[in-house]
């Protein structure tokens, strides 16, 4: 679940400032939103103080160090199929519509 972990690149000492942008937020959820709003986000490192690193390293977050109290490291994969959920049932043999069956604008 990423708790008590800090993000790193290809190894434990790989933490270049060029890998991320720091923003101030008031919650882990706000840090996640900041990531989603960034077109190049590959993950986040959040500290309970409100420090949020938006990781943009092209190769993504390679590893995380554990035992770091108050930190959370999460990879972001917008192309991961888990991010898509069916609207009704299992989603098969269905079409998407707006407010009714004839609304396909």
């Amino acid at each position: 679940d990423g708790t008590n972990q800090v993000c790193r690149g290809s190894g434990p000492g790989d933490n270049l400032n060029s890998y991320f942008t720091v923003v101030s937020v008031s919650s882990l959820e706000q840090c996640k939103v900041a990531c989603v709003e960034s077109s190049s986000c590959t993950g986040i490192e959040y500290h309970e103080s409100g420090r949020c690193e938006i990781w943009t390293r092209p190769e993504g977050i390679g590893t995380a160090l554990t035992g770091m109290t108050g930190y959370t490291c999460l990879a972001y994969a917008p192309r991961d199929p888990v991010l898509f959920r069916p609207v009704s049932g299992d989603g098969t043999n269905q079409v998407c519509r707006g407010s009714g069956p004839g609304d396909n604008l």
Side-chain angles (χ1 to χ4, degrees), residues 26-95:
S26 60
S27 69
L28 174 59
E29 290 307 311
Q30 282 188 346
C31 190
K32 290 177 183 178
V33 168
C35 174
V36 170
E37 290 176 346
S38 169
S39 62
S40 56
C41 182
T42 58
I44 59 168
E45 179 184 291
Y46 172 76
H47 186 262
E48 58 193 20
S49 67
R51 185 178 196 274
C52 172
E53 293 180 2
I54 306 298
W55 274 63
T56 55
R57 180 177 180 259
E59 302 85 3
I61 296 168
T63 190
L65 300 180
T66 60
M68 306 302 289
T69 304
Y71 286 88
T72 301
C73 175
L74 298 170
Y76 176 61
R79 290 175 183 83
D80 186 332
V82 163
L83 294 179
F84 293 92
R85 307 259 182 240
V87 175
S88 178
D90 68 0
T92 59
N93 299 317
Q94 298 177 25
V95 295

Side-chain angles (χ1 to χ4, degrees), residues 3-32:
T3 57
N4 297 324
Q5 299 179 18
V6 292
C7 303
R8 294 294 182 262
S10 61
D14 190 13
N15 190 36
L16 297 176
N17 287 337
S18 61
Y19 291 167
F20 56 84
T21 302
V22 177
V23 296
S24 294
V25 296
S26 60
S27 69
L28 174 59
E29 290 307 311
Q30 282 188 346
C31 190
K32 290 177 183 178

